[in-house]
Amino acid sequence: MNTNVADIRIEDYDYPLPDERIAKHPLQERDKCKLLVRNPDGELSTRVFDELPGLLPSRSLLIYNNTRVINARLRFRKPGGGATIEIFCLEPVTPVDYAVSFASTDSCSWLCFVGNSKRWKSGGLDMTLDIDGMTVTLTATRESREGNASVISFSWDNSDVTFSQIISAAGEIPIPPYLNRDTEPSDSSDYQTVFSHIDGSVAAPTAGLHFTDAVLRDIDAAGMERRELTLHVGAGTFQPVKSDSIGEHDMHSEFIAVSRDLIMELAATDRPVIAVGTTSVRTLESLYHIGCLVSSGKWNGEVPQWYPYNADHPHLSRGEALSALTAWLDSTGSKTLLASMRIIIAPGYDFKIVNGIVTNFHQPKSTLLLLVSAFIGGDWRPMYDFALDGDYRFLSYGDASLLLR
């Protein structure tokens, strides 16, 4: 592993962020937020987000994450009016496939965080629901513990109801903890992008929250192309870097799904690739590394955290890596790549696919701030000082930036 990357001190990515600068709600008109534009020469300017179509490079290929946030937070009450036990669904265990799990009609199990866990000694927790006029009893049973999480088995007594319907009726949208407020009814729509349609995330790909149908139409009218991919955002996206150096930080695993057609297009396109959000960046860049692993005969289903910096990395061209990946998919008869990845993108990373990023303003000492710094290839502080001095709104419901190189 490249020791220069591993030795990066997270303390160098800290900055003061007063609570009043954290946007607690989005603007009423999503596309009227501020847009900080950073040109390749480092010049900074303030625009409005609905101007984005005219600011993107000519013939851009805009790629965004189509994941949809699920009602992942379930609150059960122990029998007899006892303690409230909160179960926060993270990812499916049985069936492991998201779509199959959501389509289950009698039972499934998920890896979950359990709040007030000490008050749940044993036995099942029940919840009675009304779904489309049907009374359904949902039961949660703890099967095992996995570190600071638990595998929870869910079962229900009506085979006409899917797990997707269960959590839609029983759960609530899990807004980020740094908002320091309870979920409100408006979050059900505010915390979803206009292009979300694949259930699975427990946090929104927030750069996409600024897009409206009008902005998308303007992008189309400007002669640009739009594509989508899937990365289901897990709770690990809020995990702070607690170690002094990033070499000691363990990245969380994330599920991605990308069509063969998009991979083949990326292998040959000469269009500037603009990624909406850090989730799209990490997915797109992971495609390159999966192709390198495939070509080396080392692909096992997950991109390791430090693989981009390994001395034995073959460093293929983008076309070579993505062509190898496309050929491998063809050999398996797959039309969609399903994989996991853990890569960390930090200063010293060599971008292979992404030419521009639409993103928000991220938490201090976060891996997302490391990614931004890596992309702009210089000091991140002038950009963040510009935003702080310019009264920008920060984090999930805050303002946006367009980073070009």
Side-chain angles (χ1 to χ4, degrees):
M1 182 176 68
N2 186 325
T3 56
N4 292 332
V5 175
D7 291 341
I8 290 174
R9 296 173 62 253
I10 196 61
E11 196 66 35
D12 294 334
Y13 294 82
D14 194 12
Y15 69 93
L17 179 59
D19 184 68
E20 61 267 21
R21 302 304 297 275
I22 299 173
K24 300 300 193 290
H25 297 88
L27 296 181
Q28 186 172 3
E29 295 182 77
R30 293 185 180 207
D31 57 11
K32 297 303 182 185
C33 70
K34 291 182 179 180
L35 177 68
L36 186 154
V37 179
R38 186 187 188 278
N39 289 325
D41 61 2
E43 179 188 7
L44 304 173
S45 62
T46 296
R47 307 294 287 265
V48 179
F49 192 84
D50 63 5
E51 298 178 74
L52 179 70
L55 299 170
L56 294 173
S58 175
R59 300 176 57 254
S60 288
L61 180 62
L62 188 78
I63 303 179
Y64 45 73
N65 187 358
N66 62 17
T67 189
R68 183 171 178 81
V69 183
I70 62 173
N71 288 7
R73 181 175 282 123
L74 308 173
R75 301 182 194 273
F76 287 82
R77 180 65 67 89
K78 292 189 66 178
T84 296
I85 309 297
E86 180 181 300
I87 297 178
F88 190 113
C89 297
L90 298 175
E91 61 185 46
V93 175
T94 307
V96 70
D97 182 275
Y98 280 83
V100 176
S101 184
F102 287 127
S104 298
T105 56
D106 53 10
S107 64
C108 59
S109 61
W110 280 61
L111 185 68
C112 304
F113 289 144
V114 179
N116 210 9
S117 179
K118 292 181 180 179
R119 302 295 297 274
W120 186 15
K121 301 296 185 182
S122 61
L125 301 173
D126 292 334
M127 181 190 303
T128 300
L129 307 168
D130 186 300
I131 301 177
D132 296 334
M134 298 178 288
T135 299
V136 181
T137 299
L138 171 67
T139 300
T141 306
R142 179 149 48 191
E143 293 184 356
S144 62
R145 298 178 187 268
E146 303 283 342
N148 61 350
S150 298
V151 175
I152 304 297
S153 174
F154 297 103
S155 59
W156 52 101
D157 60 358
N158 190 326
S159 60
D160 292 328
V161 174
T162 66
F163 188 61
S164 178
Q165 293 174 286
I166 290 284
I167 61 171
S168 293
E172 63 184 58
I173 288 285
I175 60 173
Y178 48 65
L179 293 184
N180 293 318
R181 66 171 175 81
D182 293 333
T183 299
E184 299 172 6
S186 59
D187 291 311
S188 294
S189 57
D190 288 344
Y191 203 54
Q192 302 283 7
T193 67
V194 294
F195 34 71
S196 65
H197 63 95
I198 304 295
D199 286 343
S201 281
V202 301
T206 54
L209 295 179
H210 308 290
F211 285 83
T212 60
D213 291 334
V215 170
L216 295 178
R217 285 195 298 270
D218 289 345
I219 288 170
D220 294 342
M224 301 174 196
E225 297 288 339
R226 294 188 282 124
R227 302 288 184 268
E228 59 185 47
L229 47 72
T230 304
L231 180 148
H232 288 321
V233 188
T237 193
F238 303 119
Q239 179 182 340
V241 180
K242 297 180 179 179
S243 54
D244 291 335
S245 65
I246 68 167
E248 300 166 0
H249 178 72
D250 290 329
M251 286 292 287
H252 53 289
S253 179
E254 294 173 302
F255 168 89
I256 63 174
V258 184
S259 71
R260 175 202 178 277
D261 289 346
L262 176 55
I263 296 169
M264 186 170 62
E265 181 177 10
L266 289 168
T269 188
D270 61 352
R271 291 175 175 266
V273 176
I274 310 298
V276 176
T278 57
T279 61
S280 296
V281 174
R282 285 164 44 75
T283 303
L284 289 167
E285 292 296 316
S286 290
L287 296 178
Y288 167 79
H289 298 292
I290 294 172
C292 290
L293 286 164
V294 165
S295 70
S296 303
K298 298 179 180 179
W299 175 236
N300 65 1
E302 182 175 87
V303 186
Q305 175 172 339
W306 297 108
Y307 178 68
Y309 313 97
N310 285 356
D312 62 351
H313 196 295
H315 298 292
L316 304 177
S317 70
R318 179 173 77 175
E320 289 171 335
L322 296 186
S323 294
L325 178 52
T326 303
W328 177 78
L329 285 171
D330 290 343
S331 72
T332 63
S334 301
K335 297 297 184 182
T336 302
L337 170 71
L338 303 178
S340 295
M341 59 88 175
R342 294 180 181 268
I343 66 169
I344 184 168
I345 296 179
Y349 179 86
D350 182 16
F351 285 83
K352 297 296 187 181
I353 294 178
V354 176
N355 304 114
I357 304 175
V358 178
T359 190
N360 285 12
F361 294 94
H362 305 292
Q363 287 181 288
K365 301 170 72 171
S366 64
T367 58
L368 305 183
L369 189 52
L370 290 170
L371 185 153
V372 167
S373 183
F375 186 78
I376 65 177
D379 189 1
W380 58 274
R381 288 188 182 276
M383 187 175 81
Y384 271 62
D385 288 343
F386 183 93
L388 288 165
D389 293 342
D391 202 30
Y392 279 67
R393 304 160 75 245
F394 278 62
L395 307 187
S396 295
Y397 279 146
D399 294 317
S401 65
L402 170 63
L403 313 179
L404 300 171
R405 46 184 290 163

